[in-house]
Amino acid sequence: MRTLHHTPRFYLLLGLLFAAATAPLASAQAQAGSSNSEAQALLQRADEVRNPRQSYRVTSTLIEYRNGKEISRNQLAVFTRYEADTRQFRNLIRFLQPRRDNGKLLLKDGADLWFYDPAGKASIRISAQQRLLGQAANGDVVTTDLIRDYSAVQTGTATLQDAEGQSRDTVQLELSARHPDVTYARMQLWLDPANGQSVKAALYAQSGTLLKTAWFRHYKPALGQLRPTETIIIDGLNPQLVTVIQSQDHQAMDVPAQWLQRQALESFNGR
């Protein structure tokens, strides 16, 4: 079991983020009622910043912390194919680490999500809401466009301290799911309108319960754009439960369409 280095700083960061996640935003209420078309345009720009409009490969590392201590770690190879005609992403995820999970696969094709375990040589349909590691759900690691899955309304503006301690002037969007197969029934998204960068998201269940708060940070050049390379996900009830998703080594890649079929999972040997 590893202990997170710089633990006092980590706790200070979590305290600041949790306080910001629960603080009232009077300005958001005062600015309610902005046009849906403007909100959709803002959301589309945020999508384009988060995800390259091309096919690529990226390595994702998921690290779970409890009370500041690392308790588990997974590494995944994420293969993303962008279908320009439908403007849709298709994903194949290969588990790399830990060794016991090496070779397991996760396929997202449209609304369908399949898990394949080579030990049983069978693929089973799963939901985007199911947990993958810690606070991260299956839907948190696949490449998606929020604008396809959610309708957006601008509900206000707010000045936030982001996950790197910088003051950011943000626009707040309220996102409502268009269909039941999405990871979260409702989202609140704070983004920087100057550059389209997502700063924070509050993620809710159908019941209205706050499931998680996510913070996006470490924007770095990747495939022609500054993109978030780290997402901090904090449990909605217990802020001591934290999962960090790190993305690195983005590479343009022509991901073969034949990889992205359920019947091809058993014979997959890509890297």
Side-chain angles (χ1 to χ4, degrees):
M1 180 183 297
R2 295 189 181 95
T3 300
L4 183 68
H5 59 276
H6 305 312
T7 300
R9 182 180 179 185
F10 184 76
Y11 276 116
L12 177 59
L13 172 63
L14 289 187
L16 291 172
L17 298 186
F18 187 68
T22 56
L25 296 173
S27 60
Q29 297 175 351
Q31 297 292 331
S34 294
S35 73
N36 290 357
S37 60
E38 291 179 359
Q40 293 296 111
L42 286 166
L43 184 58
Q44 180 171 338
R45 187 178 183 196
D47 277 338
E48 292 171 354
V49 170
R50 288 187 306 109
N51 302 317
R53 279 349 191 222
Q54 65 182 86
S55 298
Y56 63 98
R57 179 195 189 280
V58 64
T59 300
S60 291
T61 303
L62 284 69
I63 312 168
E64 182 183 7
Y65 297 100
R66 181 177 296 143
N67 298 322
K69 293 182 179 180
E70 180 181 330
I71 60 174
S72 60
R73 176 183 291 243
N74 279 18
Q75 190 174 71
L76 314 170
V78 181
F79 301 93
T80 298
R81 180 180 175 87
Y82 181 62
E83 306 283 4
D85 53 342
T86 61
R87 297 183 179 181
Q88 187 171 3
F89 291 101
R90 301 168 68 195
N91 296 263
L92 180 65
I93 296 173
R94 178 185 176 92
F95 290 68
L96 303 176
Q97 297 289 340
R99 181 175 297 181
R100 66 176 181 275
D101 292 331
N102 184 272
K104 293 178 180 178
L105 301 170
L106 190 65
L107 171 66
K108 186 178 189 299
D109 188 7
D112 295 328
L113 200 61
W114 301 93
F115 175 74
Y116 175 78
D117 187 344
K121 296 186 177 180
S123 57
I124 59 172
R125 189 169 182 176
I126 58 176
S127 76
Q129 296 86 3
Q130 288 176 261
R131 293 202 175 193
L132 177 64
L133 177 77
Q135 311 314 305
N138 293 320
D140 292 326
V141 297
V142 297
T143 308
T144 58
D145 260 356
L146 295 178
I147 199 167
R148 290 182 60 90
D149 296 331
Y150 294 88
S151 58
V153 175
Q154 183 178 334
T155 55
T157 59
T159 300
L160 301 180
Q161 186 177 55
D162 68 15
E164 297 180 82
Q166 301 299 313
S167 180
R168 302 283 289 270
D169 292 328
T170 67
V171 170
Q172 180 183 346
L173 301 183
E174 180 78 24
L175 309 184
S176 301
R178 298 181 186 271
H179 53 83
D181 296 321
V182 297
T183 311
Y184 305 104
R186 171 175 160 251
M187 297 176 59
Q188 291 172 308
L189 178 65
W190 288 262
L191 58 89
D192 187 334
N195 52 28
Q197 293 180 358
S198 299
V199 177
K200 168 191 166 186
L203 313 170
Y204 295 88
Q206 183 67 48
S207 64
T209 301
L210 175 64
L211 297 174
K212 310 164 190 174
T213 301
W215 294 84
F216 308 91
R217 68 175 188 172
H218 295 341
Y219 278 81
K220 298 179 181 179
L223 298 177
Q225 175 72 268
L226 289 176
R227 307 188 192 278
T229 61
E230 188 168 283
T231 304
I232 302 171
I233 304 176
I234 305 171
D235 185 85
L237 295 177
N238 184 355
Q240 302 303 324
L241 301 178
V242 178
T243 300
V244 176
I245 303 177
Q246 298 173 341
S247 301
Q248 58 271 335
D249 194 26
H250 291 74
Q251 299 177 18
M253 178 181 179
D254 184 13
V255 178
Q258 57 266 33
W259 284 8
L260 304 167
Q261 303 176 38
R262 182 189 178 191
Q263 59 269 30
L265 294 177
E266 184 174 347
S267 59
F268 176 77
N269 61 0
R271 294 292 183 268

